[in-house]
Amino acid sequence: MTQVDKKKCINLKLKVWRQKRPDAKGCFESYEAKGISIDMSFLEMLDVVNEDMILSGKDPIAFDNDCREGICGTCGAMVDGRAHGPQKGTTQCQLHMRHFSNGDMVVIEPWRSRAFKVIKDLVVDRSAFDKIIQAGGYVSVNTGGAPDGNAIPVPQDVAEKAMDAAACIGCGACVAACPNASAMLFTGAKISQFALLPQGQPEAKKRAIEMVSKMDKLGFGNCTNETECEEVCPKEISIANIARMNREYLKSSLFSK
Ligand code: SF4
Ligand code: FES
């Protein structure tokens, strides 16, 4: 068994949102996280708390996670009122306990948004994002022989911008941080990654209008330039993508008439 260096350990007090079911009334409950190595991630700290709870016959805290490498977009909760916690450009699974001090009180609660219902504790239903993607976040590719690598030249700076937009992992932090619970940073990134590239042009006439209409129908709010989304985004997606989405929306409104 790996030895833990006690000098590198901290004790924390946690206030965690507990909610048994989507329709149940939730509340904050207090726990202690003891002997937490500062080299652990935030999710590993929750694992330690959960192990103690399981051993004492209590229901462990439900939270979403998968890759624990900052790439899948599954993790996420409000930590002391900030989506994904205090470290800029960092997912909750990549947040390390060295950013906390011994004796800290840490408040953990789920994303709050009309479109993201709480399923249990810190787990929310983000299938609304999947519905926005289904509405237009795809390209049609004809089958056949593999095309030549450079048959469609793309300038380097354009490819870089498209890749930056494609870095969105769909975590939902932008929605959770926005006072309007707007999904415009997510939708703007997903529209931009195609709008910038020639491969995205065949569906461009309808993509923005369909994705934005779906976003509105699902109950997300509008953007009022608060920029909270950009501030908390773990992939540092730029709000320039929202401006591009608005231009694409205008273009598709004109073409779809
Ligand atoms: S734009 Fe950023 S915060 Fe929003 S879903 Fe994508 S990665 Fe998460
Ligand atoms: S668990 Fe995959 S991004 Fe955090």
Side-chain angles (χ1 to χ4, degrees):
M1 200 175 142
T2 317
Q3 288 292 311
V4 177
D5 180 353
K6 290 223 162 55
K7 283 192 210 124
K8 290 171 74 186
C9 287
I10 54 174
N11 298 324
L12 302 168
K13 292 181 175 43
L14 306 182
K15 265 189 189 293
V16 185
W17 184 259
R18 303 302 310 264
Q19 184 172 336
K20 283 189 191 315
R21 298 177 306 279
D23 57 351
K25 198 170 174 224
C27 65
F28 281 105
E29 287 186 11
S30 300
Y31 304 100
E32 291 199 9
K34 288 189 184 155
I36 302 298
S37 164
I38 57 169
D39 296 329
M40 282 181 183
S41 73
F42 198 86
L43 298 189
E44 286 168 336
M45 179 275 290
L46 288 179
D47 288 341
V48 170
V49 174
N50 273 349
E51 275 169 25
D52 286 347
M53 290 174 78
I54 291 165
L55 287 174
S56 54
K58 293 185 189 143
D59 188 22
I61 301 159
F63 62 90
D64 253 339
N65 69 107
D66 190 4
C67 72
R68 297 199 173 196
E69 292 182 348
I71 47 178
C72 73
T74 312
C75 67
M78 301 300 282
V79 178
D80 289 339
R82 185 181 160 95
H84 286 297
Q87 197 64 10
K88 198 166 164 49
T90 307
T91 54
Q92 196 189 18
C93 61
Q94 293 278 287
L95 175 66
H96 281 87
M97 298 314 294
R98 67 183 74 100
H99 300 295
F100 297 85
S101 303
N102 190 37
D104 274 358
M105 160 77 78
V106 183
V107 180
I108 313 166
E109 56 186 316
W111 295 161
R112 307 276 187 196
S113 153
R114 187 157 43 136
F116 292 162
K117 295 273 181 293
V118 174
I119 297 173
K120 186 177 180 189
D121 300 339
L122 306 176
V123 180
V124 299
D125 178 2
R126 281 171 287 186
S127 60
F129 271 8
D130 300 334
K131 290 180 184 134
I132 295 173
I133 295 294
Q134 283 160 4
Y138 52 82
V139 291
S140 303
V141 177
N142 294 329
T143 54
D148 288 344
N150 290 321
I152 309 174
V154 179
Q156 175 76 17
D157 61 324
V158 175
E160 294 286 349
K161 280 187 190 148
M163 282 301 289
D164 286 349
C168 166
I169 54 175
C171 63
C174 45
V175 175
C178 176
N180 309 320
S182 169
M184 285 200 176
L185 192 64
F186 165 79
T187 310
K190 297 299 174 194
I191 288 172
S192 290
Q193 67 186 18
F194 297 124
L196 285 158
L197 296 176
Q199 291 88 339
Q201 299 317 305
E203 289 90 2
K205 285 183 188 161
K206 57 179 186 154
R207 178 179 296 113
I209 210 158
E210 294 194 349
M211 290 177 77
V212 170
S213 308
K214 181 58 81 176
M215 179 183 78
D216 290 343
K217 273 194 204 122
L218 289 164
F220 293 105
N222 276 317
C223 174
T224 49
N225 283 322
E226 310 290 330
T227 72
E228 296 287 334
C229 54
E230 187 183 73
E231 178 59 27
V232 300
C233 173
K235 298 296 150 187
E236 302 188 309
I237 301 289
S238 164
I239 54 166
N241 290 293
I242 298 180
R244 186 175 299 104
M245 176 187 74
N246 288 335
R247 291 197 294 276
E248 289 296 310
Y249 184 84
L250 181 64
K251 266 199 286 181
S252 44
S253 314
L254 295 173
F255 287 132
S256 63
K257 296 247 157 71

